[in-house]
Amino acid sequence: MVIDKIALVLAIIGALNWGGIGLFGFDTVAFLCGGQMAVLSRVIYALVGLAGLWCITLLFRRDEETGHSPHMA
């Protein structure tokens, strides 16, 4: 599904941003959008958070090709 791919891309962006904060103390989203409290930054943070929640559903869906749950061998 398209929404799955969008959510995954946003989750990856969030992970890279957190990696940058953890490793270098640099928040790329805040830098590009005018600070952590800027409206655009907050929108991006919210979208990344929602994408992370959406990605949780990927863990519990059946594989459309095989019909198996992802946690089954």
Side-chain angles (χ1 to χ4, degrees):
M1 287 175 56
V2 173
I3 194 165
D4 294 340
K5 291 182 182 183
I6 292 170
L8 188 56
V9 166
L10 286 170
I12 291 168
I13 289 169
L16 292 172
N17 193 56
W18 274 109
I21 293 168
L23 294 172
F24 309 111
F26 185 75
D27 185 341
T28 305
V29 172
F31 176 77
L32 293 175
C33 299
Q36 287 183 338
M37 295 309 293
V39 174
L40 184 56
S41 293
R42 295 180 68 197
V43 168
I44 292 171
Y45 295 142
L47 288 174
V48 167
L50 290 172
L53 291 174
W54 183 268
C55 286
I56 292 171
T57 67
L58 299 176
L59 295 172
F60 301 102
R61 289 202 206 145
R62 291 174 101 32
D63 184 350
E64 292 164 7
E65 290 180 17
T66 65
H68 293 106
S69 295
H71 63 276
M72 296 174 64

